[in-house]
Amino acid sequence: MIQAPAPPPLSRRRHDREIISLAVPAFGALVAEPLFVMVDSAIVGHLGTPQLAGLAVAAALLTTAVSIFVFLAYATTAAVARRVGAGDLASAIRQGMDGIWLAILLGIAVIAVTLPTAPWLVDVFGASDTAAPYAITYLRISSLGIPAMLVVLAATGVLRGLQDTRTPLYVAIGGFAANGALNAGLVYGAGLGIAGSAWGTVIAQVSMAVAYLIVVVRGARRHGAPLRPDAAGIRASAQAGVPLLVRTLSLRAVLMIATAVAARLGDTEIAAHQIILSLWSLMAFALDAIAIAGQAIIGRYLGADDAKGAREACRRMVQWGIVSGVVFGALIVLARPLFVPLFTSDRSVQDTLVPALLVVALSQPIAGVVFVLDGVLMGAGDGRYLAWAMLVTLAVFAPAALLVPVIGGGLTALWWAMALMMTVRMVTLWLRTRSGKWIVTGATR
């Protein structure tokens, strides 16, 4: 796939060690993040159905808002890793601080928008009259933690660029534990109800941000990097993030269209779709961990002017992606009789679910390649191409998905459209990787 000779066994082992050392802790940190919402749901669920429904709406809004700014992690990882490869740690941390300052500014802007518009946002998302007050309460309080959440994204990017994925894992574990304890204490011990859950989450998020800042500030002082905001650096970070923002919004549009089409197919189909999407997201976390390793490793090689090392690492990570996809696909097929009944006992949902699930299993090797090449090009700072590639993918997927209710085929046809989407992504990313145009060496792209 990559136009480079196969690396020798010793080189492969070296790449394998690097990938494992970065990807395994990254996977742990990625999995810990959605557990925040799961803990909140478990605790708030005992307050009553309206409270849980309100949490669901508010959490969906918050997750969407934060996921839009995931470029804070991706762009920062690539920029910092390049400077690490060039041997300039002071400049690397300075670049990371620019990303953190940008995260703070964006977080303040999001609060300014969310607080006054919370009732309207909750209404747009279709909250019932009984759930809406709880959703508004949770959303307004939790929005105060958005700057901290964005700082966590940017600081995670800094540490990944510095080839450190263990610290984010430790911080995520600590934040998860604190969130659970605070939620239980404030919701039931202090009797604050859903507001207690929101405040507990905010406190946990701020604590995580503080922990990250302590690590980054110590590094800055150790290497003589300035901490004050730099307008030019913040502006450069924002400009680097715009293409990745376009890519993320396009991907979110794909998922929203898929869910909207599934909802039009009927209650059975949307229920089965939600189950599949949950499994698909879990596997995406594992594949994304390899992509994160790719961002850090590729950025470092290119910063060190080592184009050959970047190509070899890319080739090896693609092999990892394919093998991981095959393993995940096989697990889906073999474990299907065990996990499907855990999600639903409704025979009609199970019957709808299984054929579509097999499509997901078949497409996992493709997904493995997509995630890896996505990470490679992010690590190379090739955000502009990623944006255009994702827009092309959306243009192909949207009509295919919207035709499903017209031509028939139900949920299985919808997930074939999702497989088409992943195939288009793979082709566009493969063409770019094969061209070699992504290989731009030096401390900056």
Coordinates of all heavy atoms in Angstrom, one line a residue, residues 197-278:
S197 N -25.3 16.2 40.2 CA -24.6 15.4 39.2 C -23.8 16.3 38.3 O -22.6 16.1 38.0 CB -25.6 14.6 38.4 OG -24.9 13.9 37.4
A198 N -24.4 17.4 37.9 CA -23.7 18.4 37.0 C -22.5 19.0 37.7 O -21.5 19.1 37.1 CB -24.7 19.5 36.6
W199 N -22.7 19.4 39.0 CA -21.6 20.1 39.7 C -20.5 19.1 39.9 O -19.3 19.4 39.9 CB -22.1 20.6 41.0 CG -22.8 21.9 40.9 CD1 -24.1 22.2 41.2 CD2 -22.2 23.2 40.5 NE1 -24.3 23.6 41.0 CE2 -23.2 24.2 40.5 CE3 -20.9 23.5 40.0 CZ2 -23.0 25.5 40.1 CZ3 -20.7 24.8 39.6 CH2 -21.7 25.8 39.7
G200 N -20.8 17.8 40.2 CA -19.8 16.8 40.4 C -19.0 16.6 39.2 O -17.7 16.5 39.2
T201 N -19.6 16.6 38.0 CA -18.9 16.4 36.7 C -18.0 17.6 36.5 O -16.9 17.5 36.0 CB -19.9 16.2 35.6 OG1 -20.7 15.1 35.8 CG2 -19.2 16.1 34.3
V202 N -18.5 18.8 36.7 CA -17.7 20.1 36.5 C -16.5 20.0 37.4 O -15.4 20.3 36.9 CB -18.6 21.3 36.8 CG1 -17.7 22.6 36.9 CG2 -19.6 21.5 35.8
I203 N -16.6 19.7 38.7 CA -15.5 19.7 39.6 C -14.5 18.6 39.1 O -13.2 18.9 39.1 CB -16.0 19.3 41.0 CG1 -16.8 20.5 41.5 CG2 -14.8 19.1 41.9 CD1 -17.5 20.2 42.9
A204 N -14.9 17.5 38.7 CA -14.0 16.4 38.2 C -13.3 16.9 36.9 O -12.1 16.7 36.8 CB -14.8 15.2 37.9
Q205 N -14.0 17.6 36.0 CA -13.3 18.1 34.8 C -12.3 19.2 35.1 O -11.2 19.2 34.5 CB -14.4 18.6 33.9 CG -15.3 17.5 33.3 CD -16.6 18.0 32.7 OE1 -17.0 19.2 32.9 NE2 -17.3 17.2 31.9
V206 N -12.7 20.1 36.0 CA -11.7 21.1 36.4 C -10.5 20.5 37.0 O -9.3 20.9 36.8 CB -12.4 22.2 37.3 CG1 -11.3 23.1 37.9 CG2 -13.5 22.9 36.6
S207 N -10.7 19.5 37.9 CA -9.5 18.8 38.5 C -8.6 18.2 37.5 O -7.4 18.2 37.6 CB -10.1 17.8 39.5 OG -10.9 18.4 40.5
M208 N -9.2 17.6 36.5 CA -8.4 17.0 35.4 C -7.6 18.0 34.7 O -6.4 17.8 34.4 CB -9.3 16.2 34.4 CG -10.0 14.9 35.0 SD -11.2 14.2 33.9 CE -10.1 13.7 32.5
A209 N -8.3 19.1 34.3 CA -7.6 20.2 33.6 C -6.4 20.8 34.5 O -5.3 21.0 33.9 CB -8.6 21.4 33.3
V210 N -6.6 20.9 35.8 CA -5.6 21.4 36.7 C -4.4 20.4 36.7 O -3.2 20.8 36.6 CB -6.1 21.6 38.1 CG1 -5.0 21.8 39.1 CG2 -7.1 22.8 38.1
A211 N -4.7 19.1 36.7 CA -3.6 18.1 36.7 C -2.8 18.2 35.5 O -1.6 18.1 35.5 CB -4.3 16.7 36.9
Y212 N -3.5 18.3 34.3 CA -2.8 18.5 33.1 C -1.9 19.7 33.0 O -0.7 19.7 32.6 CB -3.8 18.5 31.9 CG -4.2 17.2 31.3 CD1 -5.5 16.8 31.4 CD2 -3.3 16.4 30.7 CE1 -5.9 15.5 30.9 CE2 -3.6 15.2 30.2 CZ -4.9 14.7 30.3 OH -5.3 13.5 29.8
L213 N -2.5 20.8 33.5 CA -1.7 22.1 33.5 C -0.5 22.0 34.4 O 0.5 22.6 34.0 CB -2.7 23.2 33.9 CG -3.7 23.6 32.9 CD1 -4.7 24.7 33.5 CD2 -3.1 24.2 31.6
I214 N -0.6 21.3 35.5 CA 0.6 21.2 36.4 C 1.7 20.5 35.6 O 2.9 20.9 35.7 CB 0.2 20.4 37.6 CG1 -0.7 21.3 38.5 CG2 1.5 20.0 38.4 CD1 -1.2 20.5 39.7
V215 N 1.3 19.4 34.9 CA 2.3 18.6 34.1 C 3.0 19.5 33.0 O 4.2 19.6 32.9 CB 1.7 17.4 33.5 CG1 2.7 16.7 32.6 CG2 1.2 16.4 34.6
V216 N 2.1 20.2 32.3 CA 2.6 21.0 31.2 C 3.4 22.2 31.7 O 4.5 22.5 31.1 CB 1.4 21.5 30.3 CG1 1.9 22.5 29.2 CG2 0.7 20.3 29.6
V217 N 3.0 22.9 32.7 CA 3.7 24.0 33.2 C 5.1 23.6 33.8 O 6.1 24.3 33.6 CB 2.9 24.7 34.3 CG1 3.7 25.7 35.1 CG2 1.7 25.4 33.7
R218 N 5.1 22.5 34.4 CA 6.4 22.0 34.9 C 7.4 21.7 33.7 O 8.6 22.0 33.8 CB 6.2 20.7 35.7 CG 5.7 20.9 37.1 CD 5.5 19.5 37.8 NE 5.0 19.7 39.2 CZ 4.6 18.7 40.0 NH1 4.6 17.4 39.5 NH2 4.2 18.9 41.2
G219 N 6.8 21.1 32.7 CA 7.6 20.9 31.5 C 8.1 22.2 30.8 O 9.3 22.3 30.4
A220 N 7.2 23.2 30.8 CA 7.6 24.5 30.3 C 8.7 25.2 31.1 O 9.7 25.7 30.5 CB 6.3 25.4 30.2
R221 N 8.6 25.1 32.4 CA 9.7 25.7 33.2 C 11.0 25.0 33.1 O 12.1 25.6 33.1 CB 9.2 25.7 34.7 CG 8.1 26.8 34.9 CD 7.6 26.7 36.3 NE 6.6 27.8 36.6 CZ 5.8 27.8 37.7 NH1 5.9 26.9 38.6 NH2 5.0 28.8 37.8
R222 N 10.9 23.6 32.9 CA 12.1 22.8 32.8 C 12.9 23.2 31.5 O 14.1 23.2 31.5 CB 11.7 21.4 32.8 CG 12.9 20.4 32.9 CD 12.5 19.0 32.9 NE 11.5 18.7 33.9 CZ 10.3 18.3 33.6 NH1 9.9 18.1 32.4 NH2 9.4 18.0 34.6
H223 N 12.1 23.5 30.5 CA 12.8 23.7 29.2 C 12.8 25.2 28.8 O 13.1 25.5 27.6 CB 12.1 22.9 28.1 CG 12.2 21.4 28.3 ND1 13.3 20.7 28.1 CD2 11.2 20.5 28.8 CE1 13.1 19.4 28.4 NE2 11.9 19.3 28.8
G224 N 12.4 26.0 29.7 CA 12.4 27.5 29.4 C 11.4 28.0 28.4 O 11.6 29.0 27.7
A225 N 10.3 27.3 28.3 CA 9.2 27.7 27.4 C 8.3 28.8 28.1 O 7.9 28.6 29.2 CB 8.4 26.5 26.9
P226 N 8.0 29.9 27.4 CA 7.1 30.9 28.0 C 5.7 30.4 28.2 O 5.2 29.5 27.4 CB 7.2 32.0 27.0 CG 7.5 31.4 25.7 CD 8.4 30.2 26.0
L227 N 5.0 30.9 29.2 CA 3.6 30.4 29.5 C 2.6 31.5 29.0 O 1.4 31.1 28.9 CB 3.4 30.2 31.0 CG 4.3 29.1 31.6 CD1 4.2 29.0 33.1 CD2 3.9 27.7 31.0
R228 N 3.0 32.7 28.8 CA 2.0 33.8 28.5 C 1.4 33.5 27.1 O 2.0 32.9 26.3 CB 2.7 35.1 28.6 CG 3.7 35.3 27.5 CD 4.5 36.7 27.7 NE 5.5 36.8 26.6 CZ 6.7 36.3 26.7 NH1 7.0 35.6 27.8 NH2 7.6 36.5 25.7
P229 N 0.1 34.0 26.9 CA -0.5 33.8 25.6 C 0.2 34.6 24.5 O 0.7 35.7 24.8 CB -1.9 34.4 25.9 CG -1.8 35.2 27.1 CD -0.7 34.7 27.9
D230 N 0.3 34.0 23.4 CA 0.9 34.6 22.2 C -0.1 34.7 21.1 O -0.6 33.7 20.6 CB 2.1 33.8 21.8 CG 2.8 34.4 20.5 OD1 3.3 35.5 20.5 OD2 2.7 33.7 19.5
A231 N -0.5 35.9 20.7 CA -1.6 36.1 19.7 C -1.3 35.4 18.4 O -2.2 34.7 17.8 CB -1.8 37.6 19.5
A232 N -0.1 35.5 17.9 CA 0.3 34.9 16.7 C 0.2 33.4 16.8 O -0.2 32.7 15.9 CB 1.7 35.3 16.2
G233 N 0.7 32.8 17.9 CA 0.7 31.4 18.1 C -0.7 30.8 18.2 O -1.0 29.8 17.7
I234 N -1.6 31.6 18.9 CA -3.0 31.1 19.1 C -3.7 31.2 17.7 O -4.4 30.3 17.4 CB -3.7 32.0 20.1 CG1 -3.1 31.8 21.5 CG2 -5.2 31.7 20.1 CD1 -3.6 32.8 22.5
R235 N -3.4 32.2 17.0 CA -4.0 32.3 15.7 C -3.5 31.2 14.7 O -4.3 30.6 14.0 CB -3.7 33.7 15.0 CG -4.4 34.0 13.7 CD -4.3 35.5 13.4 NE -2.9 35.9 13.3 CZ -2.4 36.8 14.3 NH1 -3.2 37.2 15.3 NH2 -1.1 37.2 14.2
A236 N -2.3 30.8 14.8 CA -1.7 29.7 14.0 C -2.4 28.4 14.4 O -2.7 27.6 13.6 CB -0.2 29.7 14.2
S237 N -2.6 28.2 15.7 CA -3.3 27.0 16.2 C -4.7 26.9 15.7 O -5.2 25.8 15.3 CB -3.3 27.0 17.7 OG -1.9 26.8 18.2
A238 N -5.4 28.0 15.7 CA -6.8 28.1 15.2 C -6.8 27.8 13.7 O -7.6 27.0 13.2 CB -7.4 29.4 15.5
Q239 N -5.9 28.4 12.9 CA -5.8 28.1 11.5 C -5.5 26.7 11.2 O -6.1 26.1 10.3 CB -4.8 29.0 10.8 CG -5.2 30.5 10.8 CD -4.0 31.4 10.4 OE1 -2.9 31.0 10.3 NE2 -4.4 32.7 10.1
A240 N -4.6 26.0 12.0 CA -4.3 24.6 11.7 C -5.5 23.8 12.1 O -5.7 22.7 11.5 CB -3.1 24.2 12.6
G241 N -6.4 24.2 13.0 CA -7.5 23.4 13.4 C -8.7 23.5 12.5 O -9.6 22.6 12.5
V242 N -8.8 24.6 11.7 CA -10.0 24.8 10.8 C -10.3 23.6 9.9 O -11.4 23.1 9.8 CB -9.9 26.1 10.0 CG1 -11.0 26.1 9.0 CG2 -10.0 27.3 11.0
P243 N -9.3 23.1 9.2 CA -9.5 21.9 8.3 C -10.0 20.7 9.1 O -10.9 20.0 8.6 CB -8.2 21.6 7.6 CG -7.5 22.9 7.7 CD -7.9 23.5 9.0
L244 N -9.4 20.5 10.3 CA -9.8 19.3 11.1 C -11.2 19.5 11.6 O -12.0 18.6 11.8 CB -8.8 19.1 12.2 CG -7.4 18.7 11.8 CD1 -6.5 18.5 13.0 CD2 -7.5 17.4 10.9
L245 N -11.6 20.8 11.9 CA -13.0 21.1 12.3 C -14.0 20.7 11.2 O -15.0 20.1 11.4 CB -13.1 22.6 12.6 CG -14.5 23.1 13.0 CD1 -15.1 22.4 14.2 CD2 -14.5 24.6 13.2
V246 N -13.6 21.1 9.9 CA -14.5 20.7 8.8 C -14.6 19.2 8.7 O -15.7 18.6 8.4 CB -13.9 21.3 7.5 CG1 -14.6 20.8 6.2 CG2 -13.9 22.8 7.5
R247 N -13.5 18.5 8.9 CA -13.5 17.0 8.8 C -14.4 16.5 9.9 O -15.2 15.6 9.6 CB -12.1 16.5 9.0 CG -12.0 15.0 9.3 CD -10.7 14.6 10.0 NE -10.7 13.3 10.5 CZ -11.2 13.0 11.7 NH1 -11.7 13.9 12.5 NH2 -11.2 11.7 12.1
T248 N -14.3 17.0 11.1 CA -15.1 16.5 12.2 C -16.6 16.7 12.0 O -17.4 15.9 12.2 CB -14.7 17.1 13.5 OG1 -13.3 16.8 13.8 CG2 -15.5 16.6 14.7
L249 N -16.9 17.9 11.5 CA -18.3 18.3 11.3 C -18.9 17.4 10.2 O -20.1 17.0 10.3 CB -18.5 19.8 10.9 CG -18.2 20.8 12.0 CD1 -18.2 22.2 11.4 CD2 -19.3 20.6 13.1
S250 N -18.1 17.1 9.2 CA -18.6 16.2 8.1 C -18.8 14.8 8.6 O -19.8 14.2 8.2 CB -17.5 16.2 7.0 OG -17.3 17.4 6.4
L251 N -17.9 14.3 9.5 CA -18.1 13.0 10.1 C -19.4 13.0 11.0 O -20.1 12.0 11.0 CB -16.9 12.6 10.9 CG -16.9 11.2 11.5 CD1 -17.1 10.1 10.4 CD2 -15.5 10.9 12.2
R252 N -19.6 14.0 11.8 CA -20.8 14.1 12.6 C -22.0 14.1 11.7 O -23.0 13.5 12.1 CB -20.7 15.4 13.5 CG -19.6 15.4 14.5 CD -19.8 14.4 15.6 NE -21.0 14.5 16.4 CZ -21.3 13.8 17.4 NH1 -20.4 12.8 17.8 NH2 -22.4 13.9 18.0
A253 N -21.9 14.8 10.6 CA -23.1 14.8 9.7 C -23.4 13.4 9.2 O -24.6 13.0 9.0 CB -22.8 15.7 8.5
V254 N -22.4 12.6 8.9 CA -22.6 11.2 8.4 C -23.4 10.5 9.5 O -24.4 9.8 9.2 CB -21.3 10.5 8.2 CG1 -21.4 9.0 8.1 CG2 -20.7 11.1 6.9
L255 N -23.0 10.6 10.8 CA -23.6 9.8 11.8 C -25.0 10.3 12.1 O -25.9 9.5 12.4 CB -22.8 9.9 13.1 CG -21.4 9.4 13.0 CD1 -20.6 9.6 14.3 CD2 -21.4 7.9 12.7
M256 N -25.2 11.6 12.0 CA -26.6 12.2 12.2 C -27.5 11.7 11.1 O -28.7 11.4 11.3 CB -26.5 13.7 12.2 CG -25.9 14.2 13.5 SD -25.7 16.0 13.5 CE -27.4 16.6 13.5
I257 N -27.0 11.7 9.8 CA -27.9 11.2 8.7 C -28.2 9.8 8.9 O -29.4 9.4 8.7 CB -27.1 11.5 7.4 CG1 -27.0 13.0 7.0 CG2 -27.8 10.7 6.2 CD1 -26.1 13.3 5.9
A258 N -27.3 9.0 9.3 CA -27.5 7.5 9.5 C -28.6 7.3 10.6 O -29.5 6.5 10.4 CB -26.2 6.8 9.9
T259 N -28.5 8.1 11.7 CA -29.5 7.9 12.7 C -30.8 8.4 12.3 O -31.9 7.8 12.6 CB -29.0 8.7 14.0 OG1 -27.8 8.2 14.4 CG2 -30.0 8.6 15.1
A260 N -30.9 9.5 11.5 CA -32.2 10.0 11.0 C -32.8 9.0 10.1 O -34.1 8.8 10.2 CB -31.9 11.4 10.3
V261 N -32.0 8.4 9.2 CA -32.6 7.4 8.3 C -33.1 6.2 9.1 O -34.2 5.7 8.8 CB -31.6 7.0 7.3 CG1 -32.0 5.8 6.5 CG2 -31.2 8.2 6.3
A262 N -32.3 5.8 10.1 CA -32.8 4.6 10.9 C -34.1 4.9 11.6 O -35.0 4.1 11.7 CB -31.7 4.3 11.9
A263 N -34.2 6.2 12.1 CA -35.5 6.5 12.8 C -36.7 6.5 11.8 O -37.8 6.1 12.2 CB -35.3 7.9 13.4
R264 N -36.4 6.9 10.6 CA -37.5 6.8 9.6 C -37.9 5.4 9.2 O -39.0 5.1 8.8 CB -37.1 7.5 8.3 CG -37.0 9.1 8.4 CD -36.6 9.7 7.1 NE -37.6 9.5 6.1 CZ -37.4 9.8 4.8 NH1 -36.3 10.3 4.4 NH2 -38.4 9.6 3.9
L265 N -37.0 4.5 9.4 CA -37.3 3.1 9.1 C -38.3 2.4 10.1 O -38.9 1.4 9.8 CB -36.0 2.2 9.0 CG -35.0 2.6 7.9 CD1 -33.8 1.8 8.0 CD2 -35.7 2.4 6.5
G266 N -38.3 3.0 11.3 CA -39.2 2.4 12.4 C -38.6 2.2 13.7 O -37.3 2.3 13.8
D267 N -39.4 2.0 14.7 CA -38.8 1.9 16.1 C -37.9 0.7 16.2 O -36.9 0.8 16.9 CB -40.0 1.7 17.1 CG -40.8 3.0 17.2 OD1 -40.3 4.1 16.8 OD2 -41.9 3.0 17.8
T268 N -38.2 -0.4 15.6 CA -37.4 -1.6 15.7 C -36.0 -1.3 15.1 O -35.0 -1.7 15.6 CB -38.0 -2.8 15.0 OG1 -39.3 -3.1 15.6 CG2 -37.2 -4.0 15.0
E269 N -36.0 -0.7 13.9 CA -34.8 -0.4 13.2 C -33.9 0.6 14.0 O -32.7 0.4 14.1 CB -35.1 0.2 11.8 CG -35.5 -0.9 10.8 CD -37.0 -1.3 11.0 OE1 -37.7 -0.6 11.9 OE2 -37.4 -2.2 10.4
I270 N -34.5 1.7 14.6 CA -33.7 2.6 15.3 C -33.1 2.0 16.6 O -32.0 2.3 17.0 CB -34.5 3.9 15.6 CG1 -33.6 5.0 16.2 CG2 -35.7 3.6 16.5 CD1 -32.5 5.5 15.3
A271 N -33.9 1.1 17.2 CA -33.4 0.4 18.4 C -32.2 -0.4 18.0 O -31.2 -0.4 18.7 CB -34.5 -0.4 19.0
A272 N -32.3 -1.2 16.9 CA -31.2 -2.1 16.5 C -30.0 -1.2 16.1 O -28.9 -1.5 16.3 CB -31.7 -3.0 15.4
H273 N -30.3 -0.1 15.4 CA -29.2 0.8 14.9 C -28.4 1.4 16.1 O -27.2 1.5 16.1 CB -29.9 2.0 14.1 CG -28.9 3.0 13.7 ND1 -28.0 2.8 12.7 CD2 -28.6 4.3 14.2 CE1 -27.2 3.9 12.5 NE2 -27.6 4.8 13.4
Q274 N -29.1 1.7 17.2 CA -28.5 2.3 18.4 C -27.5 1.2 19.0 O -26.4 1.6 19.4 CB -29.5 2.7 19.4 CG -28.9 3.4 20.6 CD -28.1 4.6 20.3 OE1 -28.4 5.4 19.4 NE2 -27.0 4.8 21.0
I275 N -28.0 0.0 19.0 CA -27.1 -1.1 19.6 C -25.8 -1.2 18.7 O -24.7 -1.3 19.2 CB -27.9 -2.4 19.6 CG1 -29.0 -2.3 20.7 CG2 -26.9 -3.5 20.0 CD1 -30.0 -3.4 20.7
I276 N -26.0 -1.3 17.4 CA -24.9 -1.4 16.5 C -24.0 -0.2 16.6 O -22.7 -0.4 16.6 CB -25.4 -1.6 15.0 CG1 -26.2 -2.9 14.9 CG2 -24.2 -1.6 14.1 CD1 -26.8 -3.1 13.5
L277 N -24.5 0.9 16.7 CA -23.7 2.1 16.8 C -22.9 2.1 18.0 O -21.7 2.6 18.0 CB -24.6 3.4 16.7 CG -23.9 4.7 16.3 CD1 -23.3 4.6 15.0 CD2 -25.0 5.8 16.4
S278 N -23.4 1.6 19.1 CA -22.7 1.6 20.4 C -21.5 0.6 20.2 O -20.4 0.9 20.7 CB -23.6 1.1 21.5 OG -24.6 2.0 21.7

